[in-house]
Amino acid sequence: MSRWNISRIFFIGEGGRARSFELELGKVNIFTGASGTGKSTLIKAIDYCLGSSVCELAAHVKRHSIAVGIKWVLGDAEMITGRVIPPLGQNTSTKMFVSSGRNLRIPTSLEEFEGATNLIAGKSFIERAFGIGGVVDASDESAVRKWRPTVRHATAYMFVPKDVIYNETALLHGLDQADEAPGIIETMPYFLGVITQDTVIQERQLKDLRKRFDREQRRLRIHQAEGSEYKKHATRLLMDAHRTGLCELLPDDASETVLQEALFRLKRLKFSKGQNPSEGELSSLHTQRRSLLSEIEKARRSSRATQVALQEMSGFEGAVKRQYEKLKIAEHLEPVAHSCPLCDAPSERGIAAAQAIRQSIDIVRSEGAAVENVRPRLVDHEETLQLELTRLNDKLKGVDERIKTWIRQSSEAQEMDNLAQYHAHLMGKVSQFLEMNPATPLPGPDVNVLREQIEELEALIDNDAKQVLLARAERKVSQYLSEAFALLPTVAPCVDAELEFSTKPPAIAIIENDSGAVLRLPDAGSDENYLAIHIALSFALQKHLGNTNAPVPAFLAFDQISRPYYPQSGDDEASLGENEEVLAMRRHLDFLFNATTEQKDLQVLLIEHAYFSDDPRYVSATRKRWNKLSGDALIPLDWPKRHDSL
C-alpha cells in the first residue's frame, strides 16, 4: 500500500459510550439505510477530522457525542486524527488530537486520546504524514504558511458529497465556496504532480506582489493628482507665517515632505514678535508683476514677428522657386544664342541676352540659398521665445499667488485685535490642515523595489515548462475520464461523448458524439449526466494521483449516487424491480466495484439509501444497514444527551 486508507471511524459519547465502524482497505465500503439515520454524517466526520474550520455534524450527533476520530493506515504505519465535537449552537472546536505509530488503540473516552494539540498544529501534523509540501517552521512568514498546499486542498479529490455530485457548476468539493476555491485552483498543479510546493508559494507571492504593485501605482497616481493641491495650501500657510515673522520663506520647488516638516515646526513654535504686512511689500510685488507683464508682451511681439517672418519667407521661397524654374527654360536657348538660327551669322544681341539670363539665374539661386540659411535660425528663435514665455507665465502665477496671499493675510490681520490673535488663528489653521492631511506627503512602498521583486520571481518560475507538464497531466486525466465515462449510463447529449478536463479554471468540455459540438457542463442538462461526470472525474483524478504517487489519500467518498433513480423515503427495497432505473444503477455499481479493484489501494466509501440484496458484492461490502424500525443509527437513540447540550 502506497497511499493512506481509513480503517476505523469512531464516535465517543458520555458515560464511556463508544461507537466504532470498521472499513476494509482497498475496497468498496457501503453504509445504507433510511433517511435520518446519520449516513451522510460519516463524510462530514472525516472532513471534520481533517481540520475543517466548521463542524457540520448533524444536530443529533452534536447532542449525544463529545468526540469523533478517524484511524488512517498506510502499510504498518497508523495515524489517529480526532476532534472534540462542539455542543449544539457552537460552530466548531479548535481542540484536536493527532497521534501516529503502530498498533494504535482506538480510544473509548476523551481522556484516552493522545496527541492533544490545536487545529493549526494538527493540520500540519496530518500534512507531514500525507507528504503534502515540506515541513513548515513557526518562523516562516505567515503569508508563506497561508499560500502553501494544505490538507484542506486535498479534500477536493476525496469527497463527492450530495451538494457536489449533481452540481451543474462545481466539479470538485470546495469549488462552490468562495473562501476555499482559489486555494484549490492554485494548488491543483501541485497535486497533479506538475510543480513543487516552492513553485506554488512563488506563484502566489508573485500574484500578491503584482496586486501590490498595481495598488501602489494607483496610489501614486492619485497622490500626484492631489499633491499639487496639498502643496498650494501648505505654501499659503507658510507664507502667512513668514510675513508675521514665524518662519523663513521656503523655495518654490520645496517638496511636500519639506513643507509638512516646516508646518510641524511651525506648530511647535512659541509665538514671537512679528511684523504686520507692509504696503512696501505689496508695491514691490505689483512692480514685479508689471515688469513680468512687460517682458511677456515683449516676448509675444517677438514671437508674432518671427511667425510672420516665417510665413513671408515661405511665400518668398515659393516665388523664388517659381521664378527659378522659369529662368531655367532659357538654358535650352543658350547653345543658339551666339548665332542667328536662320543664317548662322554671329549675333551680339543673343550673346548679351544669354549673359543677362545667366546673371538672373545666379541672383535667384543666391536668394533661395539665403532663405534656407535664415529659416533654421528663425525656427530656433521661435522655440526659444516659447520657452521664455512659459517661464515668465509660471513666474507671473507665483507673483499673483503671493499678492493674493498678502491681500488675504492683510485682510485677516485687520480683523484681529492684535498680531497675537492672528498668530493663534494661523496656528489653528495649521493644526487643522495637518489633522485633515496626516499622510498625504508620506511615501509608500518603493514601486521600483516591488518591480525588482516581481522580475526576480518571474525569473524563478518556468511558465513554459509548467504549461507543457500541465497540458500533459490534463491529457492523461481526460483520457481516464473519457474511458470511465463510456462505462456509465448517460442520456443525450452525453451519450458516447468524450470529455476534456482543464485545470484553470477547473472545467469539463463535453464533445458531442454525433455533431462534434463542444458543450459546457451546464449543457449536460440531466442529473444522470451530472452524476456520471462527477463519478468518472473522481476516479480519473484518483487514478492520476495514484500513478504520480500524489500526497492525497487513496480514498473516495460518495453520498447517495442512486438519487436520480430512487425516491428518498420509504422502504429501501420497495422499488427494486428490473426497469431502466434499476439497470442504470446496476451499471454504476458495476463501475464502482470494477474501478476500485483496478486501481491499486483505492478505497471507496458509498453512502446509499437503496439496498441491493440480490447483489452479493453489494451485500458483502455493506458495513452497516440502518432502518427506522430497528431504532439503530449512526449514534444509537439510547445514548444520553451530553451535559452541555441544549
Side-chain angles (χ1 to χ4, degrees):
M1 180 178 292
S2 59
R3 293 197 294 155
W4 292 89
N5 278 187
I6 294 176
S7 66
R8 291 272 182 176
I9 304 174
F10 58 92
F11 294 83
I12 296 174
E14 296 276 11
R17 287 171 171 77
R19 181 85 154 158
S20 179
F21 305 102
E22 184 176 3
L23 276 65
E24 289 197 34
L25 309 180
K27 293 184 178 181
V28 176
N29 296 267
I30 302 172
F31 287 77
T32 182
S35 299
T37 54
K39 305 184 302 298
S40 298
T41 300
L42 288 170
I43 297 179
K44 296 176 181 178
I46 300 170
D47 192 31
Y48 186 54
C49 289
L50 288 177
S52 172
S53 59
V54 178
C55 178
E56 296 182 340
L57 301 180
H60 177 75
V61 178
K62 287 185 175 181
R63 280 196 174 102
H64 299 272
S65 303
I66 59 175
V68 59
I70 309 294
K71 184 175 182 180
W72 299 85
V73 175
L74 175 61
D76 293 335
E78 296 178 350
M79 176 175 62
I80 290 180
T81 62
R83 294 282 297 274
V84 169
I85 297 176
L88 196 63
Q90 181 177 317
N91 286 334
T92 191
S93 169
T94 59
K95 191 171 183 180
M96 194 169 186
F97 304 92
V98 185
S99 59
S100 62
R102 295 188 178 185
N103 301 318
L104 297 180
R105 189 170 61 88
I106 301 295
T108 58
S109 65
L110 200 59
E111 292 73 24
E112 292 182 8
F113 268 110
E114 297 180 353
T117 184
N118 59 37
L119 185 58
I120 295 176
K123 287 192 290 187
S124 297
F125 190 105
I126 297 171
E127 287 157 9
R128 289 194 295 271
F130 286 171
I132 298 175
V135 176
V136 180
D137 191 81
S139 62
D140 290 346
E141 293 183 16
S142 59
V144 172
R145 293 199 302 271
K146 175 185 176 183
W147 290 336
R148 67 182 182 84
T150 70
V151 66
R152 300 307 308 157
H153 303 140
T155 60
Y157 310 96
M158 300 164 57
F159 303 139
V160 192
K162 64 179 74 174
D163 59 338
V164 171
I165 201 166
Y166 308 108
N167 200 308
E168 300 179 11
T169 55
L171 282 178
L172 302 173
H173 172 60
L175 286 182
D176 56 346
Q177 300 179 29
D179 57 335
E180 295 186 12
I184 294 173
I185 294 171
E186 291 178 11
T187 58
M188 187 170 287
Y190 166 78
F191 286 105
L192 293 181
V194 173
I195 58 177
T196 64
Q197 174 183 258
D198 290 340
T199 308
V200 175
I201 294 174
Q202 290 165 358
E203 286 183 340
R204 300 186 79 173
Q205 283 178 322
L206 180 60
K207 183 177 180 181
D208 182 68
L209 283 173
R210 284 171 174 164
K211 287 182 178 179
R212 289 177 58 194
F213 181 77
D214 293 340
R215 185 169 60 249
E216 288 305 320
Q217 282 195 317
R218 288 194 299 270
R219 191 192 69 82
L220 284 175
R221 286 195 294 269
I222 295 172
H223 178 73
Q224 289 170 356
E226 296 177 347
S228 58
E229 193 70 19
Y230 180 95
K231 188 173 182 178
K232 181 173 69 175
H233 290 296
T235 301
R236 286 180 179 176
L237 290 171
L238 290 171
M239 289 177 64
D240 289 347
H242 165 68
R243 289 195 174 90
T244 57
L246 295 178
C247 68
E248 296 293 330
L249 185 63
L250 295 177
D252 293 338
D253 58 352
S255 67
E256 295 175 15
T257 302
V258 171
L259 293 174
Q260 187 193 50
E261 292 173 353
L263 288 174
F264 275 113
R265 287 196 300 270
L266 180 62
K267 184 180 177 182
R268 292 190 294 267
L269 281 178
K270 294 182 178 180
F271 295 154
S272 60
K273 184 178 180 180
Q275 57 184 15
N276 287 315
S278 66
E279 293 294 333
E281 182 181 4
L282 182 60
S283 177
S284 175
L285 288 173
H286 279 297
T287 301
Q288 186 178 356
R289 188 176 190 276
R290 285 193 296 271
S291 176
L292 286 171
L293 288 173
S294 177
E295 291 182 37
I296 290 172
E297 182 58 29
K298 182 179 178 181
R300 285 176 178 169
R301 286 198 301 270
S302 297
S303 176
R304 286 194 294 270
T306 303
Q307 291 173 5
V308 170
L310 285 170
Q311 291 175 355
E312 291 177 350
M313 184 176 291
S314 297
F316 179 73
E317 184 180 17
V320 168
K321 186 175 182 181
R322 289 192 296 273
Q323 189 65 28
Y324 179 73
E325 294 297 330
K326 291 178 182 179
L327 291 173
K328 284 191 68 175
I329 298 174
E331 292 180 353
H332 299 288
L333 301 176
E334 188 174 357
V336 298
H338 299 280
S339 60
C340 177
L342 297 177
C343 62
D344 292 331
S347 174
E348 295 298 329
R349 289 184 64 188
I351 293 172
Q355 289 177 348
I357 290 172
R358 280 196 301 272
Q359 289 175 359
S360 297
I361 290 174
D362 291 340
I363 292 171
V364 171
R365 185 183 293 115
S366 65
E367 289 176 347
V371 169
E372 291 301 323
N373 289 333
V374 173
R375 180 196 298 277
R377 284 179 285 177
L378 285 176
V379 172
D380 290 342
H381 182 59
E382 170 62 14
E383 292 178 354
T384 303
L385 287 173
Q386 292 300 322
L387 291 174
E388 179 66 11
L389 279 170
T390 300
R391 185 187 69 81
L392 291 171
N393 281 318
D394 289 342
K395 195 170 182 180
L396 180 63
K397 290 179 182 178
V399 171
D400 286 342
E401 184 63 32
R402 292 192 176 201
I403 292 173
K404 291 178 183 178
T405 302
W406 189 97
I407 293 172
R408 189 186 67 254
Q409 187 259 340
S410 178
S411 175
E412 291 175 351
Q414 291 174 4
E415 294 176 0
M416 302 295 177
D417 294 334
N418 51 49
L419 189 60
Q421 289 181 341
Y422 179 76
H423 281 169
H425 178 68
L426 177 62
M427 287 301 182
K429 291 199 296 185
V430 169
S431 298
Q432 183 182 23
F433 178 78
L434 290 173
E435 289 175 2
M436 294 179 63
N437 302 272
T440 302
L442 299 180
D446 190 343
V447 293
N448 293 323
V449 174
L450 291 176
R451 186 182 289 109
E452 290 176 1
Q453 293 174 343
I454 289 172
E455 291 174 354
E456 289 176 2
L457 283 175
E458 287 176 340
L460 292 174
I461 299 171
D462 190 346
N463 270 320
D464 293 337
K466 175 190 172 182
Q467 294 306 319
V468 171
L469 294 175
L470 190 59
R472 178 172 176 265
E474 289 174 344
R475 285 196 303 271
K476 288 183 175 294
V477 173
S478 297
Q479 177 187 346
Y480 304 150
L481 175 59
S482 294
E483 292 172 355
F485 191 65
L487 301 175
L488 295 169
T490 55
V491 296
C494 292
V495 177
D496 297 327
E498 292 186 14
L499 303 183
E500 288 289 333
F501 171 72
S502 58
T503 57
K504 198 167 186 179
I508 293 289
I510 305 168
I511 295 89
E512 203 171 15
N513 179 48
D514 51 356
S515 67
V518 179
L519 309 178
R520 301 176 301 113
L521 185 61
D523 298 328
S526 167
D527 281 352
E528 188 170 17
N529 289 336
Y530 294 129
L531 173 66
I533 289 171
H534 283 94
I535 289 178
L537 177 62
S538 301
F539 276 92
L541 287 171
Q542 276 288 343
K543 185 172 183 178
H544 181 77
L545 296 174
N547 291 340
T548 58
N549 198 27
V552 178
F555 176 81
L556 274 175
F558 297 96
D559 192 353
Q560 297 187 117
I561 64 176
S562 65
R563 189 175 290 111
Y565 308 114
Y566 297 104
Q568 298 304 301
S569 61
D571 187 358
D572 55 5
E573 289 188 89
S575 55
L576 291 185
E578 292 298 328
N579 52 38
E580 291 183 3
E581 287 76 12
V582 173
L583 293 176
M585 182 61 189
R586 291 190 186 279
R587 285 182 62 184
H588 277 290
L589 294 177
D590 288 340
F591 175 81
L592 247 63
F593 282 108
N594 294 335
T596 303
T597 302
E598 290 173 3
Q599 292 195 32
K600 181 182 178 183
D601 301 334
L602 181 62
Q603 182 184 44
V604 171
L605 171 63
L606 175 60
I607 307 300
E608 203 34 83
H609 184 82
Y611 182 72
F612 287 79
S613 58
D614 58 347
D615 188 335
R617 300 169 305 173
Y618 197 94
V619 174
S620 177
T622 300
R623 307 296 167 233
K624 286 291 180 180
R625 183 186 178 193
W626 295 309
N627 59 66
K628 293 181 179 179
L629 295 178
S630 66
D632 194 11
L634 178 75
I635 301 300
L637 300 180
D638 60 353
W639 275 25
K641 284 187 178 182
R642 47 192 293 175
H643 67 280
D644 55 357
S645 176
L646 296 176

